[in-house]
């Protein structure tokens, strides 16, 4: 499970160093795709393939799922870590997420999210403001 927030920097070639605690999970390759936020989602290969299979099963009857799947797959990139634990964020995905130098890598359970650091701080502040207002009864599995 991916947890925590890290703030590495993109280098001049668009490479991102993955925090060491996540490298084993991504070491067999991973998929990087558009997220919502705007941010990027990084899924270990097996998790992405499972997610794809689940979405594919629903596409025949739900046009919204078909569109979501199209956008997710059209923007996806299969990636590998180099010996230093880095990967290059493709230019189109950097542009989509507004990534420059300062980024936030956020653990989100089954995936990592890659955000522009300023966008992440703003989004997190919004989410944190509503955190205490969420009814724990509405969150399955917590009680």
């Amino acid at each position: 499970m991916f947890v925590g927030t890290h703030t590495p920097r993109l280098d001049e070639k668009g490479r991102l160093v993955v925090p060491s605690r996540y490298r084993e999970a991504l070491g067999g390759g991973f998929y990087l795709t558009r997220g919502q936020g705007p941010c990027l989602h990084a899924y270990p290969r097996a998790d992405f393939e499972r997610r794809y299979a689940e979405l594919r099963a629903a596409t025949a009857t739900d046009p919204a799922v078909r569109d979501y799947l199209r956008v997710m797959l059209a923007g996806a990139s299969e990636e590998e870590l180099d010996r230093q634990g880095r990967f290059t964020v493709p230019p189109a995905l950097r542009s989509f997420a507004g990534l420059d130098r300062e980024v936030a890598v956020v653990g989100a359970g089954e995936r990592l999210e890659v955000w522009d650091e300023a966008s992440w701080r703003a989004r997190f502040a919004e989410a944190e403001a509503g955190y205490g207002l969420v009814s724990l009864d509405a969150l399955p599995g917590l009680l």
Side-chain angles (χ1 to χ4, degrees):
M1 179 167 65
F2 297 107
V3 298
T5 302
H6 304 273
T7 53
R9 290 181 162 192
L10 280 177
D11 70 12
E12 62 280 347
K13 296 180 181 178
R15 294 178 299 199
L16 180 64
V17 175
V18 172
S20 59
R21 66 189 302 179
Y22 303 139
R23 291 180 191 170
E24 185 177 335
L26 299 177
F30 62 99
Y31 287 91
L32 189 67
T33 189
R34 295 174 183 211
Q36 296 167 313
C39 65
L40 303 178
H41 290 173
Y43 290 94
R45 184 174 281 134
D47 290 342
F48 185 85
E49 290 168 356
R50 177 191 46 77
R51 183 169 170 78
Y52 167 71
E54 290 168 356
L55 288 169
R56 194 180 84 204
T59 60
T61 59
D62 190 338
V65 174
R66 283 195 305 267
D67 286 343
Y68 180 88
L69 190 57
R70 283 184 190 116
V71 171
M72 184 179 81
L73 294 174
S77 177
E78 193 169 359
E79 301 295 334
E80 299 273 342
L81 298 178
D82 67 13
R83 288 188 199 122
Q84 288 81 34
R86 303 173 301 189
F87 70 96
T88 301
V89 180
L93 291 176
R94 275 192 308 236
S95 177
F96 168 79
L99 303 180
D100 191 21
R101 297 267 298 151
E102 307 296 325
V103 301
V105 176
V106 179
E110 70 174 3
R111 68 177 184 264
L112 287 176
E113 295 181 350
V114 181
W115 291 76
D116 166 72
E117 187 180 13
S119 296
W120 168 247
R121 283 194 311 266
R123 178 66 189 106
F124 185 76
E126 289 174 21
E128 191 173 40
Y131 184 77
L133 303 175
V134 175
S135 168
L136 294 181
D137 293 335
L139 297 174
L142 286 184
L143 293 179

